[in-house]
Amino acid sequence: QVQLVESGGGLVQAGTSLRLSCAASGRTFSSYAMGWFRQAPGKEREFVAGISRGVGSTSYADSVKGRFTISRDNAKNTVYLQMNSLKLEDTAVYYCAADRQFYISRSSAEYDYWGQGTQVTVSS
């Protein structure tokens, strides 16, 4: 069992940066691939970024590539999402998720555990 708690969301202006954190419970954090998803009002949940277990290879949605960076600190049981050059369309509830598989999945159905989400609102 893994419990995930996101933090770091808030209201920011377009063009600025924000860093989300996701703290995981348990001693097996390093054995999970981790993902960040987001869901805007009236839209489906979508993949944002993922990081594998082990060497920590990464994958990004085209909409955030070059602006967002996912990283993990296995010693702290934490995964981060650094978000730069934020746009209005980045407004959403952001969720982190854990997947027992080695590789990064872009499908939310593949993930085993989810956090409660943190709101990110980007204003003009």
Side-chain angles (χ1 to χ4, degrees):
Q1 186 81 8
V2 176
Q3 291 184 323
L4 304 172
V5 179
E6 302 97 334
S7 61
L11 172 63
V12 296
Q13 287 191 321
T16 61
S17 300
L18 203 60
R19 189 176 81 156
L20 305 182
S21 300
C22 174
S25 65
R27 295 179 292 177
T28 59
F29 173 75
S30 61
S31 64
Y32 288 86
M34 300 298 295
W36 284 98
F37 289 75
R38 67 186 181 187
Q39 188 166 19
K43 295 188 177 181
E44 293 188 353
R45 191 170 298 189
E46 63 174 358
F47 173 81
V48 175
I51 187 166
S52 69
R53 62 184 188 185
V55 298
S57 59
T58 59
S59 178
Y60 297 93
D62 288 343
S63 59
V64 306
K65 198 173 295 183
R67 299 189 298 122
F68 290 11
T69 302
I70 187 172
S71 61
R72 66 189 301 161
D73 185 337
N74 290 333
K76 295 183 178 180
N77 280 11
T78 301
V79 62
Y80 304 98
L81 185 68
Q82 177 66 44
M83 305 185 294
N84 299 330
S85 302
L86 282 161
K87 303 176 180 180
L88 298 180
E89 52 264 41
D90 294 320
T91 295
V93 177
Y94 284 71
Y95 300 89
C96 74
D99 181 0
R100 292 190 187 92
Q101 298 186 89
F102 182 86
Y103 297 103
I104 301 164
S105 174
R106 294 180 172 230
S107 170
S108 61
E110 297 292 327
Y111 287 77
D112 303 292
Y113 302 102
W114 291 83
Q116 82 290 348
T118 186
Q119 176 71 47
V120 172
T121 303
V122 183
S123 65
S124 59

